[in-house]
């Protein structure tokens, strides 16, 4: 079983490095023996050396990384110092999905629901400012009167400006999409806390007036958690609903933030309940990935023949993400795979498995993609425990869609660009969703006239 | 490019010829495969003990230590060739089986599927209740191809070819006769996957020795299968009936 692990793990790394940046002191940290440092470094290096699909990179850059950095690793006296060296080592690889995740961060995130309290809103970095792009009906932000299009200016004592300065220190955030991703990760983390606590947030309203609101954090609606192998516990959000356009067009909207097993039964049930709609919209904005096989599995609901979403090439094998057409519903009744128009919404936080799904079906001509270019971080990866307790996330294969196009470093390009704008949000619009709905309505009309 | 490819092909052909010649020379000193698998049958309990077994119910824990994952598995089998296996991973239930005619799989991720093509041929070749017990019954063609050392044990490596062309290598401990390792290329929906397995900690169940720990390596990942329980009591025929969602595919 091959996993695509979400780049959300970068969030953990970022949170960890951010906290280290503020608190690290030469005399502090988890002590580590030279033997353990050596075993941990060698283990991490060897795992990647054995699995890196590009042997040219393995034989040159990767060997050099070991030669350069091993002496420093052996001098490390704390787990944090060693992690810095190993992060530098994996950072030399020109790919996503290589991270060293602090064991204590992973463990603490796995142990308690401390960070599950949610403000009931989503934010994105738009034009250098954090915009509220979505307010969950009935959620804490809605209760406090927060509106889409408002700007988040400060969370507690942390200003948005300071958060963005920290983000700027992350090497991967130098590039525009990386900056958007890490900025989102940082702010999303800042807007979370223990359920029941109150979070003071300063906004700029639609007229750019400072407005402070107290948000009572709570478990997000429909929230679930999942602990999958060495990954930290993930807080899963889920929403499926039916929307109706002014002309009577109906569409099913399915939105979730991770491809994890706990979501699969809901996905199947959602497709069943929305079969009668004129079109379906899978909203993968903010969905960083998860279990890769779920992408081809879910795609089977929309394909009427066995087909390939993509190809994974490891050093020794070539494996295909094959979709099985779903000809039976959740009640064991024969059905045909959904044949209506299918739209997928993407943004810079649409990563990994979400890119397999959106890009794979796009290459098959089965979906129309709306929104913004995706994260461009799409490689099959595994997460293994290291001798010192840290977790190494490492990609194990190259990945292309059926037509041979790679998503890593490129991403999925929308068929129709529909980025969020402040004006649209303040007017109550969601440009990507609106565009998808308009396309479904147009498809419905053209199919009707063809009959 | 064509010239390079042609030259490479010639080179590969030369290597293949050399390998065959080497193998032919080596085979002169290798024991016949029929003797090796017969010794294995005797080592695990003998033909009569195997023939007494009519059904099997196993539970096992599957762990991927490097990934920090654990799954559970329950399987049933009955003569001549019926089997069904249920697995649970993170609350997700997966199943697959063969009722003597139809090979199927079903899980929430991919939905129900009736297996066909090369995948079906391989499953049919491996469907016999005697698979892993009496290889001569399952694989019409057996040949000793060499010797290896697996986990410190010297073993004879036997290539076994099924009726439909499925090839599996089994390595049998020279001393005890027990199977210590297998190598096969598994036909899957995702393509061909090389699978290497080692077997250990044999224990007796109803007069037959069965390995209780298997370590399977595939796709760069290691899976440890630890047997939790094994019974040879009769299994109801209904156990092997196709699930409703698979039956629905037949209409």
């Amino acid at each position: 079983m091959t996993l695509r692990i979400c780049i959300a793990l970068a969030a953990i790394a970022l949170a960890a490095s951010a906290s280290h940046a503020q608190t690290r002191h030469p005399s502090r940290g988890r002590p580590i023996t030279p033997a353990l440092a050596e075993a941990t470094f060698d283990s991490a290096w060897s795992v990647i050396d054995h699995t890196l699909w590009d042997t040219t990179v393995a034989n040159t850059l990767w060997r050099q990384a070991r030669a350069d950095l091993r002496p420093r690793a052996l001098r490390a006296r704390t787990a944090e110092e060693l992690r810095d060296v190993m992060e530098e080592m994996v950072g030399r690889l020109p790919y996503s999905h290589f991270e060293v995740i602090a064991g204590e961060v992973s463990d603490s995130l796995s142990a308690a629901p401390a960070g599950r309290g949610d403000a009931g809103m989503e934010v994105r970095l738009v034009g250098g400012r954090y915009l509220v792009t979505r307010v969950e009906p009935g959620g804490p932000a809605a209760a406090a009167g927060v509106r889409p299009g408002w700007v988040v200016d400060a969370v507690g004592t942390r200003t948005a400006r300071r958060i963005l300065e920290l983000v700027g220190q992350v090497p991967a955030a130098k590039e525009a999409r990386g900056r958007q991703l890490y900025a989102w990760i940082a702010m999303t983390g800042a807007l979370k806390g223990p359920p029941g606590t109150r979070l003071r947030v300063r906004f700029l309203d639609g007229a750019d007036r400072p407005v402070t609101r107290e948000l009572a954090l709570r478990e997000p609606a429909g929230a679930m958690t999942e602990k999958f192998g060495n990954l930290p516990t993930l807080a899963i959000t889920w929403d499926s609903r039916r929307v109706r356009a002014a002309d009577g067009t109906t569409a099913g909207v399915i939105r979730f933030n991770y491809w994890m097993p706990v979501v699969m039964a809901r996905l199947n049930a959602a497709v069943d309940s929305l079969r009668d709609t004129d079109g379906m919209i899978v909203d993968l904005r903010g969905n960083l990935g998860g279990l890769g096989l779920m992408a081809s599995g879910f795609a089977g609901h929309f394909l009427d023949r066995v087909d390939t979403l993509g190809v994974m090439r490891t050093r020794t094998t070539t494996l295909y993400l094959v979709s099985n057409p779903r000809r039976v519903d959740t009640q064991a009744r024969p059905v045909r795979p959904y044949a209506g128009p299918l739209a997928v919404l993407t943004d810079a936080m649409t990563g990994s498995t979400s890119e397999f799904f959106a890009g794979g079906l796009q290459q098959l001509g089965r979906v129309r993609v709306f929104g913004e270019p995706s994260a461009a971080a799409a490689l099959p990866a595994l997460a293994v425990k290291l001798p010192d307790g840290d977790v190494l996330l490492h990609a194990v294969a190259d990945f292309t869609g059926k037509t041979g196009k790679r998503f890593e470093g490129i991403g999925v390009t929308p068929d129709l660009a529909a980025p969020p704008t402040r004006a649209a949000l303040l007017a109550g619009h969601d440009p990507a969703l609106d565009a998808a709905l308009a396309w479904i309505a147009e498809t419905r009309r053209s199919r009707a006239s063809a009959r | 490019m064509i010239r390079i490819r042609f030259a490479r092909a010639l080179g590969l052909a030369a290597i293949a010829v050399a390998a065959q010649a080497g193998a032919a020379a080596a085979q002169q000193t290798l024991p016949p495969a029929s003797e090796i698998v017969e010794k294995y049958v005797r080592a695990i309990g003998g033909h009569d003990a195997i023939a007494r077994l009519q059904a099997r119910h196993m539970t096992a824990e599957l762990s991927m230590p490097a990934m920090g994952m654990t799954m559970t598995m329950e399987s049933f089998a009955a003569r001549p060739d019926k089997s069904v296996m249920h697995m649970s991973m993170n609350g997700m239930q997966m199943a697959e089986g063969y009722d003597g005619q139809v090979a199927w799989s079903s899980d929430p991720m991919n939905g129900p599927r009736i297996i066909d093509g090369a995948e079906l041929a391989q499953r049919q070749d491996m469907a016999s209740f005697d698979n892993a017990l009496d290889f001569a019954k399952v694989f019409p063609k057996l040949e000793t191809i060499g010797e290896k050392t697996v986990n410190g044990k010297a073993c004879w490596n036997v290539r076994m070819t099924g009726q439909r062309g499925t090839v599996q290598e089994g390595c049998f401990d020279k001393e005890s006769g027990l199977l210590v390792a297998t190598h096969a290329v598994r036909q899957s929906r995702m393509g061909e996957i090389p699978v290497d397995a080692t077997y250990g900690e044999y224990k007796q169940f109803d007069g037959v020795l069965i390995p209780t720990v298997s370590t399977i390596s595939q796709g760069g990942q290691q899976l440890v299968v630890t047997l939790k329980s094994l019974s040879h009591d009769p299994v109801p025929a209904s156990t092997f009936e196709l699930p409703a969602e698979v039956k629905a595919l037949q209409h």
Side-chain angles (χ1 to χ4, degrees), chain A residues 1-3 226-230 261 264 268 291 293-294 296-298 312 317-324 326-328 332-334 382-385, chain B residues 64-69 71 89-92 94 107-113 188-194 218-221 244-246 248-249 251:
Chain A
M1 182 189 314
T2 306
L3 301 179
E226 180 130 32
K227 177 80 178 86
F228 195 90
N230 286 328
M264 200 67 230
N268 296 336
L291 194 55
L293 292 176
M294 282 178 63
S296 50
F298 185 46
M312 295 182 287
T317 58
T318 298
L319 297 173
Y320 301 87
L321 270 190
V322 177
S323 275
N324 175 45
R326 298 295 190 102
R327 304 198 189 284
V328 175
R333 293 174 300 215
L382 300 173
V384 298
K385 205 92 167 173
Chain B
M64 299 170 80
M67 301 286 295
M69 287 180 64
M71 297 164 270
M89 178 188 75
N90 270 52
M92 193 160 58
M94 299 168 278
D107 64 74
M109 213 147 40
N110 298 293
R113 193 165 68 96
S188 85
R189 213 167 45 101
M190 297 177 73
E192 294 187 338
I193 303 173
Q218 60 177 50
Q221 294 169 72
E245 70 270 21
V246 176
L249 288 173
H251 299 299

Side-chain angles (χ1 to χ4, degrees), chain B residues 41-61:
Chain B
V41 168
R42 287 198 305 273
I44 64 171
H47 287 286
D48 291 348
I50 291 171
R52 276 195 294 272
L53 307 179
Q54 297 298 308
R56 188 186 307 123
H57 173 207
M58 279 180 12
T59 61
E61 183 183 84

Side-chain angles (χ1 to χ4, degrees), chain B residues 121-202:
Chain B
Q122 188 172 66
R123 293 213 185 193
Q124 288 172 321
D125 265 352
M126 312 287 276
S128 168
F129 184 84
D130 286 315
N131 186 27
L133 293 174
D134 192 343
F135 290 107
K137 269 188 173 181
V138 180
F139 296 97
K141 188 179 173 190
L142 301 166
E143 50 189 327
T144 313
I145 57 171
E147 48 190 310
K148 291 199 297 191
T149 301
V150 177
N151 293 337
K153 290 186 167 66
C155 55
W156 297 116
N157 202 22
V158 176
R159 181 187 291 134
M160 310 181 250
T161 307
Q163 260 181 334
R164 297 163 188 80
T166 300
V167 176
Q168 173 181 296
E169 289 175 18
C171 217
F172 298 86
D173 189 325
K174 288 183 181 180
E175 203 171 314
S176 69
L178 294 174
L179 179 73
V180 292
T182 55
H183 168 78
V185 175
R186 188 166 65 86
Q187 300 291 338
S188 85
R189 213 167 45 101
M190 297 177 73
E192 294 187 338
I193 303 173
V195 181
D196 287 282
T198 60
Y199 308 94
E201 298 191 32
Y202 278 81

Side-chain angles (χ1 to χ4, degrees), chain A residues 94-119:
Chain A
Y95 314 109
S96 68
H97 288 73
F98 284 92
E99 301 276 358
V100 181
I101 301 151
E104 61 268 27
V105 172
S106 174
D107 293 344
S108 66
L109 285 174
S110 301
R116 291 219 305 264
D118 184 81

Side-chain angles (χ1 to χ4, degrees), chain B residues 199-218:
Chain B
Y199 308 94
E201 298 191 32
Y202 278 81
K203 289 180 185 164
Q204 198 167 92
F205 297 86
D206 302 309
V208 176
L209 282 179
I210 306 275
T212 59
V213 179
S214 311
T215 303
I216 299 164
S217 302
Q218 60 177 50

Side-chain angles (χ1 to χ4, degrees), chain A residues 9-24 80 83-84 87 99-102 105 166-167 169-171 182:
Chain A
L9 292 172
I12 297 156
L14 176 67
S17 59
S19 67
H20 292 325
Q22 293 168 12
T23 61
R24 191 172 300 164
E80 290 76 9
R83 194 177 307 126
D84 281 350
E87 281 171 356
E99 301 276 358
V100 181
I101 301 151
V105 172
L166 273 176
V167 167
Q169 295 170 21
V170 178
Y182 280 87

Side-chain angles (χ1 to χ4, degrees), chain A residues 30 36 40 101-104 106-107 384-391:
Chain A
R30 181 160 53 94
L36 185 55
T40 301
I101 301 151
E104 61 268 27
S106 174
D107 293 344
V384 298
K385 205 92 167 173
L386 295 170
D388 74 342
D390 279 1
V391 172

